[in-house]
């Protein structure tokens, strides 16, 4: 049994940064749907203080186990996904990390200095993922410098530890039969989709189709003043059956690569 309270706190933290998520959920519920979560995604660095092994600890304690692993060469990322051993209805967990040994020495050193600001005991907390940005107020100049090399690093610097996105299980929606129907419904209600790599990433042949709305843009306090920066987004997943007749439970690296870009300020036209 996984912790309902922990996931409730994750959702509340996420929606506080992502007002669109509550709006989408309410819209779909108004059409007679019950919302089930397919997976939750989390971002981090591969520094040993905050890497995948560290952030997965509370989920492992709840009965999750590692399943697939994924590499994103261009973005210099590595990821694992976790599934609950006994509860197939528990949301999957997808944790990615920036490979610091693959980035420039300047970016690597900057990330280490940021983490060095933090008291070591904070890294030991079981609820680290709920703590948000645990370092000092960010500098906009540093954010911009990170953005030149890695949008992922820049996003982490500003947002810290939180759910990067929740994902609606489209298979369990009652009033929609396909992901394209969901996308069209969202667009008709004013939401902008991530079109990087196509509005729908993946295909029935790959056993997984995914889409997402663009991340919310929120005001963030920097040392230099208030700026508008992307926070989090809502994703939608439709899974297909494999040759054994079971729904595919993994992920497609090429699709996830494009889903990552939902937080890209460029897609926001900024």
């Amino acid at each position: 049994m996984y912790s309902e309270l922990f996931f409730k706190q994750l959702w509340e933290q996420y929606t506080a940064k992502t007002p669109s998520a509550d709006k989408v959920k309410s819209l779909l519920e108004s059409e007679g749907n019950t919302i089930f979560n397919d997976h939750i995604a989390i971002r981090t660095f591969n520094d040993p203080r905050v890497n995948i092994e560290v952030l997965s600890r509370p989920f492992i304690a709840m009965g999750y186990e590692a399943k697939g692993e994924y590499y994103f060469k261009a973005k210099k990322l590595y990821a694992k996904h976790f599934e609950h051993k006994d509860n197939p209805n528990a949301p999957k967990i997808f944790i990615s990390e920036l490979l610091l040994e693959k980035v420039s020495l300047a970016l690597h050193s900057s990330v280490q200095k940021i983490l060095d600001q933090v008291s070591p005991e904070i890294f030991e907390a079981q609820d680290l993922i709920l703590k948000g940005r645990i370092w000092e107020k960010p500098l906009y100049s540093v954010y911009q410098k990170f953005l030149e090399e890695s949008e992922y690093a820049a996003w982490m610097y500003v947002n810290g530890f939180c759910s990067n996105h929740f994902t609606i299980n489209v298979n369990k929606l009652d009033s929609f039969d396909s992901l394209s129907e969901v996308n069209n419904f969202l667009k008709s209600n004013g939401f902008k989709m991530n079109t990087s790599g196509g509005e729908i990433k993946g295909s029935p042949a790959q056993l997984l189709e995914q889409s997402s709305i663009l991340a919310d843009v929120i005001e963030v306090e920097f040392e230099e003043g208030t700026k508008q920066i992307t926070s989090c987004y809502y994703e939608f997943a439709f899974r297909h059956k494999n040759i054994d007749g079971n729904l595919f439970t993994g992920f497609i690296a090429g699709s996830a690569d494009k889903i990552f870009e939902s937080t890209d300020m460029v897609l926001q036209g900024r």
Side-chain angles (χ1 to χ4, degrees):
M1 191 67 180
Y2 69 98
S3 170
E4 295 282 356
L5 177 60
F6 190 82
F7 282 84
K8 181 175 182 289
Q9 291 173 323
L10 276 174
W11 172 259
E12 289 172 350
Q13 176 203 47
Y14 162 73
T15 53
K17 297 167 70 73
T18 321
S20 290
D22 260 335
K23 294 176 183 176
V24 168
K25 184 172 180 288
S26 295
L27 266 175
L28 292 172
E29 287 174 337
S30 71
E31 295 291 308
N33 299 285
T34 300
I35 305 304
F36 293 90
N37 187 25
D38 180 85
H39 70 271
I40 298 168
I42 297 162
R43 294 181 177 185
T44 192
F45 303 110
N46 75 332
D47 183 285
R49 292 168 287 186
V50 295
N51 61 14
I52 290 174
E53 182 179 344
V54 172
L55 291 190
S56 65
R57 285 174 187 164
F59 302 107
I60 298 296
M62 290 178 211
Y64 278 81
E65 60 183 352
K67 288 291 186 179
E69 58 180 349
Y70 313 88
Y71 295 88
F72 307 89
K73 186 175 181 181
K75 290 183 173 62
K76 301 178 175 64
L77 304 175
Y78 169 72
K80 283 185 176 181
H81 98 264
F82 301 79
E83 297 178 28
H84 199 279
K85 296 176 185 177
D86 305 314
N87 184 359
N89 294 316
K92 289 169 278 294
I93 308 297
F94 186 96
I95 308 177
S96 59
E97 60 185 15
L98 181 66
L99 300 173
L100 297 173
E101 69 275 11
K102 301 288 187 181
V103 302
S104 69
L105 182 59
L107 178 54
H108 189 167
S109 297
S110 293
V111 170
Q112 287 190 313
K113 287 177 182 176
I114 290 164
L115 294 173
D116 287 344
Q117 299 172 7
V118 182
S119 298
E121 61 268 18
I122 292 179
F123 298 125
E124 300 300 319
Q126 282 293 304
D127 62 348
L128 175 61
I129 189 58
L130 293 169
K131 291 189 176 297
R133 188 176 64 239
I134 57 177
W135 40 86
E136 296 172 357
K137 183 186 290 187
L139 288 161
Y140 191 64
S141 58
V142 172
Y143 169 80
Q144 289 180 305
K145 192 69 177 175
F146 280 18
L147 202 56
E148 291 175 7
E149 183 175 348
S150 170
E151 190 275 335
Y152 186 104
W155 187 94
M156 271 297 301
Y157 174 55
V158 172
N159 289 281
F161 298 103
C162 63
S163 302
N164 170 257
H165 64 265
F166 275 64
T167 308
I168 288 178
N169 184 333
V170 175
N171 297 72
K172 293 186 176 181
L173 295 178
D174 291 324
S175 65
F176 298 91
D177 296 320
S178 68
L179 186 55
S180 60
E181 286 183 14
V182 173
N183 289 352
N184 290 335
F185 175 74
L186 293 171
K187 288 187 293 184
S188 70
N189 280 279
F191 292 95
K192 293 183 179 179
M193 308 302 296
N194 169 359
T195 57
S196 179
E199 195 173 282
I200 293 179
K201 293 84 164 102
S203 65
Q206 292 174 299
L207 305 181
L208 175 62
E209 296 176 274
Q210 296 168 271
S211 67
S212 60
I213 58 173
L214 292 179
D216 281 18
V217 175
I218 61 172
E219 290 191 343
V220 173
E221 289 291 331
F222 289 90
E223 287 290 352
E224 299 92 330
T226 302
K227 305 289 183 181
Q228 290 191 323
I229 302 296
T230 54
S231 58
C232 310
Y233 58 94
Y234 218 169
E235 186 185 325
F236 314 91
F238 189 91
R239 296 181 178 276
H240 296 269
K241 292 181 179 180
N242 57 29
I243 56 174
D244 297 323
N246 298 313
L247 287 178
F248 175 68
T249 61
F251 295 86
I252 308 299
S255 299
D257 184 79
K258 297 303 182 184
I259 289 287
F260 278 125
E261 296 175 15
S262 299
T263 58
D264 197 324
M265 290 291 285
V266 174
L267 290 183
Q268 298 279 358
R270 296 168 184 262

